[in-house]
Amino acid sequence: MLRRLVLATLATTAAGATGLGPVPPLSLLSSPDVLTVTISKSGHPKADGTFRLDCEGEPGGDHPAAARACERLTTLAKEGQNPFKPVTKDAFCGQQYGGSVVAHITGDWQGRSVDAHFSRANGCEIDRWENLEPVLPRVRG
């Protein structure tokens, strides 16, 4: 939020100095932090489904743990982590299986477009999933 305010202030100052007139409202300069989280094959009927997570201002949407999920995303952003980054192809991952659950997250976060797939197919994917709890539900294989 502070980053967006600083960017809007700089853009307004630059536009005024060059005579370009007013800049668009802040909401047009960057996308809000809104994600769609789809979970399937968890084995838990309440965990499966598609949920909207809105972390712009007060946490909202119909995500079952919206406040905690937004708090986790804020913590990861402060740590400079990108929790949506896929596991690298050359990673050595433990031969473990965490179940058939899969997730797909789309939307916008920290000014970036998100289109990420998650599973619990091996140790690396399990770690990646658990790093994003409670955005993703806590499930165990």
Side-chain angles (χ1 to χ4, degrees), residues 29-114:
L29 293 175
S30 60
S31 301
D33 289 343
V34 178
L35 299 169
T36 299
V37 180
T38 302
I39 310 295
S40 59
K41 302 179 188 175
S42 73
H44 305 284
K46 291 184 180 181
D48 286 351
T50 298
F51 308 97
R52 184 173 184 274
L53 178 61
D54 184 346
C55 295
E56 189 69 22
E58 281 294 313
D62 61 356
H63 189 282
R68 291 182 327 174
C70 290
E71 182 179 312
R72 179 66 183 144
L73 288 170
T74 298
T75 299
L76 293 169
K78 287 179 182 175
E79 293 172 355
Q81 291 189 40
N82 177 1
F84 305 109
K85 180 177 72 175
V87 174
T88 60
K89 296 198 185 300
D90 61 347
F92 289 102
C93 303
Q95 296 281 326
Q96 57 190 124
Y97 180 66
S100 61
V101 64
V102 292
H104 184 206
I105 301 178
T106 59
D108 293 293
W109 181 70
Q110 299 290 304
R112 293 179 293 214
S113 181
V114 173

